[in-house]
Amino acid sequence: MPLGSLKVEPTVTSSLSSRDKAKRAGVQVRTYLASLPPDARRSLQKLRAAIRAAAPGAIESFSYGIPVFRLGGQPLVWYAAWKHHSSLYPMTAAIRRAHAAELEGYETSKGTIRFPLTKPPPSALVRRLVKARIAELREP
């Protein structure tokens, strides 16, 4: 087809309200969780509950194909389930260093902490990690 015969539609920006975005994100998160095997789903639901307890004002969203909690419009933490572990990100080097003793036995890498499905993290640890992340976001 010749270029001259192409119709170019005007760009339309999303006009979803905050409420509609939250509703859509909720559906995406529930769909994501429902797609997981039962053991991974249970593990991730516990991780999710601990995150929510540490950051009650955070809003759940969906980004990069996985759930994320946002605080003040900024991504706070993403969480995801894999075949043999669940992950929490981003966890900076400073957070990993500050909690090194508690993270012993868990695999860490740049920005990520992996919790084996067979050794889920204590909720108190997750809450401390999330609160440390909140403190980082609030730094000037």
Side-chain angles (χ1 to χ4, degrees), residues 57-111:
I59 297 170
E60 200 163 30
S61 189
F62 203 77
S63 173
Y64 297 106
I66 58 175
V68 59
F69 278 95
R70 294 180 178 279
L71 190 62
Q74 294 181 310
L76 174 61
V77 290
W78 279 268
Y79 61 102
W82 305 93
K83 188 173 183 178
H84 300 290
H85 69 274
S86 59
S87 294
L88 186 62
Y89 2 39
M91 288 292 130
T92 62
I95 291 174
R96 293 191 316 274
R97 274 192 308 273
H99 297 88
E102 296 173 285
L103 293 173
E104 202 167 301
Y106 296 112
E107 186 181 340
T108 62
S109 63
K110 185 178 180 184

